[in-house]
Amino acid sequence: MVSKPKPTLTPGSVLIRVAASGICGTDLHICKGETPHATHNVTIGHEFSGYVEAIHASTSTTAKLGDLVCIDPNVPCHKCTFCRTQKYHLCPHLWCIGVTCDGGMAKHVVVPASSIYVATGIPPEVASLAEPLSCVVHAVDTGCVKSGDRVLVIGAGPIGLMVTALCANGGAHVTVAELNKMRRTAATEFGASEVTERVDIGGYPVEGYGFDVVFECVGLAATMGQALECARAGGTVVWVGVARPDALVSVSPFTVYRRELTIKSTYTNPFGMERAVRILLDNKVNWASLITHTFALTEFDAAWDVFTQNSGLKVCIKP
């Protein structure tokens, strides 16, 4: 814990009194020095909600003082070729609250008004799930999942469970592979039709065995390779998990060719925040059950221990 001065409002910004901030695997990568673009000694926290405490005089926003808001941490330049072709998440000048500038593991944070989404009617802890859910919205879109598809989700952490819920609610038959018994139970509650420790597709992918869409939600080279093995001919593999920068996956080009596989990845959450807030408001899924541990900011060390030991699901900090 360090003490920093209360952030100062700038034109176009709002001051947020943080209500809830989730710990994410990206935070672990940052703290291990595995996120090359992260700012040294940055205050982490990119999954958070809070209340609008002040609005700069020159800021234009529909939000009002006291509103509970979710924050999209990704702020593009709006000038580059990617921003101008609706791929702003690939902006080379993107800065990210909690990664390249101070984030939500604090009592207060200043954010651009364009980054806030009013979340009235959602509990603050659940509202803090909007950012990871928006990433999952993008991932499921990327997988082009259709009703009736056989879907495999590898890993039942918070992201994998969110993928499971969105696919299952869209009519897919979802199998979840997870070693942890508690997380396998949670996968069933989030809509999985089948759960397993080990995946056996039962035959050769070129004969129709395997899955139409496979989501890897662990971030390990081994499970990314496994995802390719589980996709049936004509299938799609989506790497959602974040691997170390030096991780390598062995891929057989002939296998990809013969089975006509589509391999995709996802990066952040383009155009996903508003949809994520709507999904949370709709409340068809018990999203609150993802949050298994809550700590005060002064208890961050204990929260970090729970998170790194994988003894729960989402760990939430309430300043």
Side-chain angles (χ1 to χ4, degrees), residues 15-218:
L15 177 67
I16 302 298
R17 175 169 56 84
V18 178
S21 186
I23 303 178
C24 170
T26 298
D27 297 320
L28 184 60
H29 284 296
I30 293 171
C31 293
K32 286 185 173 181
E34 296 171 356
T35 305
H37 58 283
T39 300
H40 184 59
N41 287 335
V42 71
T43 299
I44 58 172
H46 59 277
E47 303 179 0
F48 65 101
S49 67
Y51 297 97
V52 178
E53 187 166 289
I55 302 172
H56 191 276
S58 68
T59 297
S60 176
T61 178
T62 57
K64 300 177 180 62
L65 293 178
D67 278 350
L68 176 69
V69 294
C70 308
I71 289 84
D72 184 349
N74 300 300
V75 184
C77 74
H78 299 295
K79 299 176 183 177
C80 70
T81 181
F82 295 108
C83 288
R84 291 181 174 184
T85 54
Q86 297 186 338
K87 298 176 182 178
Y88 71 85
H89 61 302
L90 302 178
C91 172
H93 312 295
L94 189 79
W95 55 280
C96 179
I97 301 163
V99 180
T100 60
C101 62
D102 286 345
M105 291 297 172
K107 291 183 177 180
H108 293 87
V109 61
V110 166
V111 303
S114 58
S115 294
I116 64 174
Y117 292 78
V118 176
T120 303
I122 306 176
E125 298 87 349
V126 176
S128 72
L129 297 172
E131 192 278 338
L133 183 57
S134 70
C135 294
V136 169
V137 166
H138 177 48
V140 173
D141 284 352
T142 299
C144 300
V145 177
K146 302 184 295 297
S147 299
D149 274 353
R150 289 177 52 82
V151 171
L152 173 64
V153 178
I154 301 176
I159 294 296
L161 292 174
M162 287 179 171
V163 171
T164 298
L166 293 193
C167 291
N169 274 278
H173 181 282
V174 183
T175 298
V176 175
E178 170 59 56
L179 298 177
N180 182 289
K181 182 178 179 181
M182 178 273 290
R183 293 185 172 194
R184 289 198 303 274
T185 299
T188 301
E189 295 169 355
F190 273 73
S193 299
E194 300 177 52
V195 295
T196 182
E197 290 186 62
R198 308 286 180 183
V199 182
D200 180 1
I201 63 173
Y204 296 109
V206 293
E207 295 178 355
Y209 293 91
F211 297 88
D212 299 294
V213 187
V214 182
F215 293 94
E216 195 283 342
C217 301
V218 180

